[in-house]
Amino acid sequence: MERSALVVPTVMEPRLEGLSDLGLSLEELPGGTGRKVATAMAGMSEVPGVWVAGNAGDPAAQVGAAAAGGALAGAHLHGMLVMAEADAAVTAARADRAA
């Protein structure tokens, strides 16, 4: 019997060339479809200060969802930076009052 179609499964794998020193953890995707960078809320990785955006954290996401995930990660990072700056300002103000 002649074949009229051939299906080959995709195995998704993040491209992390040049990032091996960061120590990012990878986790298996369901059904043996590949791996992704392990992330928590808004793309935060296990490595302090490293966020993962787009298809590295959600390989099955379509372009719009991958872009939205990147925007969410950026907004979360921005919020954390603003809070760190506010905390530093409060600490400095308290130190000035104590002096």
Side-chain angles (χ1 to χ4, degrees), residues 18-24 47 50:
L19 301 175
S20 59
D21 290 346
L22 290 176
L24 294 168
V47 179
V50 177

Side-chain angles (χ1 to χ4, degrees), residues 20-96:
S20 59
D21 290 346
L22 290 176
L24 294 168
S25 297
L26 297 177
E27 60 186 37
E28 297 294 321
L29 294 170
T33 57
R35 300 187 306 167
K36 73 177 204 80
V37 177
T39 59
M41 181 179 67
M44 194 171 10
S45 77
E46 296 173 340
V47 179
V50 177
W51 275 258
V52 178
N55 292 104
D58 186 0
Q62 299 294 321
V63 173
L72 178 61
H76 188 257
L77 173 58
H78 176 68
M80 290 184 71
L81 292 172
V82 167
M83 290 308 298
E85 190 173 324
D87 288 344
V90 168
T91 300
R94 287 180 179 159
D96 286 346

